[in-house]
Amino acid sequence: MRPSETITERGDILAKTSTEQKKQMYLECLLTSSSQKEAYQKAHIAKATAMRYQKDPDFQKQYKEMRRRSMEFTGNRLRELTSKAVDTLSDVMDDPEATPTEQTRAAKIVLDSAFQVANQQDILDRLDKLESEAAEQDES
């Protein structure tokens, strides 16, 4: 048996998991778990180990990057589904067999969503204007 191996209770020889592999596993578990406790339990590491990893600046950087990529993927997927969702709402609104309640609900969802998009665009436009004004003041 090599120093990098361990024997289980059943006598199976397993390779020990390196610290980097444990960190990677914990990172992945953090992204898919509902709590830190669940994540370190899924990763089979102690709470103290998890806390030590989380204090490491490289670990924090990796976690932020993985979370950013995950959210980017999720955002892209949601954008893909948006057209389908709007088509579904449109179908319900136009369906002669849909109840008035179903048609009204679909119409309300469309109107509420359009209002939210308009508000968000207004906020982004204002932010762009403020950033431009700030940049102009910095140049002066």
Side-chain angles (χ1 to χ4, degrees):
M1 187 170 87
R2 288 179 245 146
S4 63
E5 297 175 334
T6 188
I7 298 179
T8 66
E9 289 178 13
R10 292 188 334 196
D12 299 325
I13 297 177
L14 300 174
K16 286 187 179 176
T17 308
S18 73
T19 301
E20 287 307 310
Q21 289 171 321
K22 288 179 184 178
K23 281 184 181 181
Q24 188 64 35
M25 175 65 83
Y26 182 51
L27 277 168
E28 291 170 9
C29 290
L30 274 173
L31 292 172
T32 59
S33 300
S34 60
S35 68
Q36 288 180 353
K37 181 178 181 179
E38 181 183 331
Y40 67 71
Q41 287 174 339
K42 279 185 182 178
H44 304 289
I45 61 172
K47 180 180 180 180
T49 302
M51 297 304 111
R52 188 173 64 251
Y53 289 168
Q54 287 182 244
K55 290 179 184 176
D56 177 12
D58 288 335
F59 182 88
Q60 291 172 2
K61 184 178 176 182
Q62 279 184 297
Y63 175 68
K64 286 178 185 175
E65 177 59 22
M66 287 178 74
R67 190 177 61 192
R68 184 196 64 74
R69 278 190 269 139
S70 174
M71 293 309 298
E72 184 177 300
F73 173 80
T74 301
N76 289 338
R77 182 73 177 120
L78 286 171
R79 278 189 286 285
E80 289 173 12
L81 294 173
T82 300
S83 293
K84 186 176 179 179
V86 170
D87 290 344
T88 299
L89 291 169
S90 178
D91 290 346
V92 172
M93 289 169 46
D94 295 337
D95 185 353
E97 295 182 20
T99 66
T101 301
E102 293 168 334
Q103 291 174 327
T104 302
R105 175 122 173 90
K108 182 179 180 343
I109 291 169
V110 169
L111 292 172
D112 288 347
S113 298
F115 181 72
Q116 287 178 345
V117 168
N119 280 341
Q120 289 171 352
Q121 189 58 53
D122 183 48
I123 290 168
L124 290 173
D125 290 345
R126 290 177 185 188
L127 181 60
D128 285 344
K129 183 178 177 185
L130 289 171
E131 287 175 341
S132 294
E133 290 172 358
E136 288 174 11
Q137 288 179 354
D138 289 344
E139 291 175 2
S140 314

